[in-house]
Amino acid sequence: MQERPNPDAILAQMKEEEERPGGRGRLKIYLGMAAGVGKTYAMLNDGQEAKKRCVDVVIGYLEPHGRAETEAMADGLERLPLKAFDYKGVTLSEFDLDAALERKPKLILVDELAHTNVPGSRHKKRWQAVAELLQEGIDVYTTVNIQHVESLNDVVAQITGVVVSETVPDSLLNEADEIEVVDIPPQELIQRLHEGKVYVADKVNQALSSFFKKSNLSALRELALRHTAERVDRQVRTYRAAEGSSEPWHTKDRILVCVAPNKMGPRVVRAAARMAGALHAELIAVSVESPRQAGLSEEDRMRSIEGLRLAEHLGAETVTLSGQDIVAEVVHFAQSRNVTTIVVGKPVRKRWREIVFGSVVDTLVRSSGDIDVHVITGQDTAGTPQKILVKREEEHDWKGYGMAVGLTTLATLLNTLLFDVIKHVERINLVMVYLLGVTYVSSRHSRLSAGLAAILGVLCFDFFFVEPRHSLTFYDGQYLLTFGVMLLVAILTSTLTARLREQTVSASLRERRTSALYNLSKKLSATRSRTEIGKFTVEKVREVFGCDAGVLIKSRATGKLFSGPESECKFELRPNEHAVALWVLDHGKMAGKGTDTLPGSEGTYVPLNAENGCVGVLAVRWEGNAVRDPSQINFLETFANQLAVAIERTNLAKDSHEALLQVERERLRNSLLSSVSHDLRTPLAVISGSAEQLRGSSSLTATRDIALANAIAIESERLGRQVRNLLDMTRLESGAVDLTRGWQSLEELIGSSVLRTEKMLHDHEVITQLPANLPLVLVDGVLLEQAFVNLLENASRHTPPKTKIFISAKVLPQSVVVEIANSGPSLQAGDEERIFDKFYRPNANQTQGFGLGLTICRAILEAHGGSIRAMNRTEGGVTFMMVIPKSQDAPEVPLD
């Protein structure tokens, strides 16, 4: 028996479908184990099939590799011209993204997804251009080989011995709407190589002896099929969970990968990404800044940064922690985020160093508790951190060295005074004086300075105070232990003091960042001007990050960027840089220097993403070519978020103020109209009554006098209707109208409205077609009849004489629809909705009245829970369709 569908699974699936970006194009990827399996041919074949279905298909980029079959399959498909780039004296052709966006076909074919673009292109990789096409709503067919999948990069290198530099992030493949595996047996592919259908003849032997060995192809084929099988498995589980055919998977696995500053970092990150993909788990990449990393080279520090970037590229959340105890920080963070598995690389140091100084991996395994720890293996020498053995001369702390020599000399003089003059001080107590000097040096200067002070202290103690004095030899062997302990204590004291100083510096940095963020948010919350907000943010960015910055704010009127506080060199105003800022504004993603999008730019551009869209761009120009670590970039994004919230707050405040003014204007206008209308009713009643008496008086004999009396009566009646409309409008808008509902017959209401407008419709033929089964409706008869009268009056004014007006009705399950159609002019585009706006008249030069009749009709229908809309008739004229709710418990219509 089939189980009841799980509501949580259904809601999750609905939420996933709702969160899919609206208007995003569909992506189909043709995946193969290697070049030559027929991916491009299959893509072109499907493109031809789409063209037969009248789909607008173009080829954005095609790499036929000289294959006649591929070229023949492309015949008949439109090709976009390629964009030429001059690179180092050679002209190279690339996919023209701008031409594709301007052409904007329904479907575009882009070959070789993993291709690296020529420097100077908008994007570094072709897959980024494909992502932009999808964002613009264009469907894309593209091709890629399994060795280009980022998370499988090191696995492919291990199998084939070839490190593939061009990769595609797994996140793009996961977002693909369809992946089609183009597969042939390895032996058949090798045969195609021999026949020259893959590469030219001079490359075949080289390919067969390296990458295209049968064992390699078999392994790559298995990777491609397994990768696709995992995707299909995820889809099957989703469908089964939604249909209730099996229990849903409730696991909340989270994998934390530790990114170490060594060569194993990328391997560990990729292994964790594969593990997270297989378990459908969330992936978090963590790097810990600790004192034990103080001696690492710049190369190893960059490896840590690149490892975090790779993790972010693979869709992981990246976090940078800081603390003295690496294991404690990792375990505490893992417990706070409910991590189930920690992935680390195996130890890279020598065993004796692990025994002496401890092993992070061993300590992590023992401290992890219920959290699983996976250790990724690798070459022993692959990840050995490179220590800085020799520093440049300008990096030496010469002041610290001088301080070490000076304090050691001073300690020696003091000990000489204590030992030779006072003569009541034991030699062992003299050691404390030297240790005092070592502690002072280590608290003020570098570790090398403290080490020098420790060595000099031991040497001076031996030379001046140990028998035989004034020599570095000694008679008593116990002093060997004294020297060793003294040196060890001195070095340990200097090391601990240096660590404390480094922690103080790190805490000071965090405090400055927190203080800067607090001051920024405090200042922004008290500022209302967008210019002042941008100016203060730029000042804070310069102060905290030490770089030039500028703010470009989106104009709400034109949607373009205008310059806020300019940078010192005004780099963001240059045409090329401004174009990058516009791209960031349109796409809401970071671009520029240090990113994969437009990396040749002078500055880095951060979008100011708010709840209602991107409100501007923060431009930053770093000094030199220094690469910023992810924590600093994240902190800059926090600044941008604060700025975006502040700008949106000013926009909302302005909107609120304008809305309040509009409400006050409407209230004042309604009050004025109501007062004027009431004041006009009395004189209008007198004028109308007097005109009726004159028209009925026998004393008027002259034709001119009778015509004047008739004109007075007609115009006063028309003005009276306008005044009533004004009063009705103000009452409906103020909510002062209480509906007096009752069971009403639509035939009677329509007939009464026709009689009331008989004089106005004397030049028109009114044709009524009402079904015999019209039910009674629970409405306010007076108001609904007024709506019919307004529509008939509108028809009399807007249609030529001698034309027909049609009144019809039909009964639906939940409502009754009444249609009043005329044969006048049709509505212009956009007037179908605007015609019901207050005081709107399509042709003000020829139309009498205030433009309130249709507005009142809509208000009356909406007050009854119904609606009204206008549409053009195919034969000319306009139909007004009124939807009136029908009650299920309506009484029977009495028979005559």
Side-chain angles (χ1 to χ4, degrees), residues 534-551 565-572 593 602-606 618-626 628 632-633 635-637 639:
K535 182 178 179 181
F536 182 78
T537 303
V538 166
E539 293 175 356
K540 275 296 178 184
V541 170
R542 292 173 180 167
E543 174 187 339
V544 174
F545 297 94
C547 59
D548 194 11
V551 173
E566 298 178 354
S567 63
E568 295 176 352
C569 64
K570 302 182 181 180
F571 71 94
E572 78 280 9
K593 187 175 183 179
E602 184 177 352
T604 302
Y605 297 85
V606 184
L618 174 61
V620 176
R621 182 174 177 267
W622 305 107
E623 296 297 334
N625 296 319
R628 303 293 164 173
Q632 197 167 11
I633 295 297
F635 192 54
L636 179 63
E637 290 179 334
F639 265 57

Side-chain angles (χ1 to χ4, degrees), residues 637-705:
E637 290 179 334
T638 303
F639 265 57
N641 292 337
Q642 292 286 334
L643 176 58
V645 171
I647 293 176
E648 187 176 42
R649 188 187 66 249
T650 60
N651 292 340
L652 294 176
K654 185 177 180 181
D655 291 342
S656 177
H657 180 67
E658 292 178 352
L660 182 61
L661 291 178
Q662 181 66 24
V663 170
E664 291 297 330
R665 284 195 295 266
E666 284 292 321
R667 185 180 301 167
L668 179 61
R669 182 168 60 180
N670 290 339
S671 300
L672 178 61
L673 291 176
S674 179
S675 300
V676 171
S677 300
H678 278 92
D679 292 340
L680 288 176
R681 293 183 70 181
T682 300
L684 276 176
V686 174
I687 295 172
S688 179
S690 301
E692 288 296 332
Q693 290 183 2
L694 285 175
R695 293 172 66 183
S697 175
S698 58
S699 59
L700 292 179
T701 56
T703 304
R704 183 173 63 85
D705 294 339

Side-chain angles (χ1 to χ4, degrees), residues 466-478:
V466 176
E467 298 294 339
R469 301 181 66 178
H470 305 109
S471 71
L472 294 178
T473 60
F474 50 88
Y475 295 144
D476 193 346
Q478 66 179 352

Side-chain angles (χ1 to χ4, degrees), residues 55-113:
V55 177
D56 183 16
V57 185
V58 300
I59 298 176
Y61 184 85
L62 179 63
E63 189 61 65
H65 293 289
R67 302 165 191 160
E69 301 93 335
T70 305
E71 290 285 4
M73 182 57 69
D75 290 343
L77 294 177
E78 177 187 350
R79 291 198 189 189
L80 292 178
L82 301 179
K83 189 173 183 179
F85 288 89
D86 187 10
Y87 181 65
K88 295 183 179 181
V90 179
T91 301
L92 302 176
S93 298
E94 289 286 0
F95 168 55
D96 194 341
L97 176 59
D98 292 324
L101 293 174
E102 183 178 358
R103 173 65 172 77
K104 199 169 186 180
K106 174 61 179 174
L107 172 62
I108 187 168
L109 313 182
V110 181
D111 208 2
E112 296 191 351
L113 181 63

Side-chain angles (χ1 to χ4, degrees), residues 609-792:
N609 291 322
E611 185 176 353
N612 295 322
C614 188
V615 297
V617 176
L618 174 61
V620 176
R621 182 174 177 267
W622 305 107
E623 296 297 334
N625 296 319
V627 179
R628 303 293 164 173
D629 61 88
S631 64
Q632 197 167 11
I633 295 297
N634 291 339
F635 192 54
L636 179 63
E637 290 179 334
T638 303
F639 265 57
N641 292 337
Q642 292 286 334
L643 176 58
V645 171
I647 293 176
E648 187 176 42
R649 188 187 66 249
T650 60
N651 292 340
L652 294 176
K654 185 177 180 181
D655 291 342
S656 177
H657 180 67
E658 292 178 352
L660 182 61
L661 291 178
Q662 181 66 24
V663 170
E664 291 297 330
R665 284 195 295 266
E666 284 292 321
R667 185 180 301 167
L668 179 61
R669 182 168 60 180
N670 290 339
S671 300
L672 178 61
L673 291 176
S674 179
S675 300
V676 171
S677 300
H678 278 92
D679 292 340
L680 288 176
R681 293 183 70 181
T682 300
L684 276 176
V686 174
I687 295 172
S688 179
S690 301
E692 288 296 332
Q693 290 183 2
L694 285 175
R695 293 172 66 183
S697 175
S698 58
S699 59
L700 292 179
T701 56
T703 304
R704 183 173 63 85
D705 294 339
I706 296 174
L708 288 175
N710 289 333
I712 294 172
I714 293 173
E715 292 303 317
S716 62
E717 183 180 354
R718 185 178 67 82
L719 186 57
R721 288 197 302 271
Q722 302 299 337
V723 170
R724 285 194 300 273
N725 283 340
L726 286 174
L727 286 173
D728 291 341
M729 193 70 251
T730 55
R731 287 165 50 216
L732 289 169
E733 287 190 340
S734 64
V737 177
D738 293 328
L739 298 181
T740 306
R741 295 179 182 266
W743 294 108
Q744 304 289 339
S745 169
L746 285 175
E747 294 96 329
E748 294 180 359
L749 294 178
I750 293 173
S752 177
S753 61
V754 172
L755 290 176
R756 287 177 55 184
T757 56
E758 187 177 8
K759 294 181 180 179
M760 291 179 285
L761 299 174
H762 66 279
D763 287 337
H764 297 80
E765 181 182 359
V766 179
I767 301 176
T768 303
Q769 298 174 342
L770 301 178
N773 62 338
L774 275 180
L776 299 178
V777 290
L778 188 62
V779 296
D780 188 320
V782 176
L783 288 180
L784 190 59
E785 182 180 331
Q786 183 63 43
F788 293 149
V789 168
N790 288 353
L791 289 174
L792 292 173

Side-chain angles (χ1 to χ4, degrees), residues 570-597:
K570 302 182 181 180
F571 71 94
E572 78 280 9
L573 300 181
R574 298 168 189 165
N576 291 342
E577 300 296 315
H578 195 75
V580 180
L582 287 175
W583 188 92
V584 171
L585 178 69
D586 293 338
H587 296 81
K589 298 179 180 178
M590 187 185 300
K593 187 175 183 179
T595 69
D596 291 336
T597 301

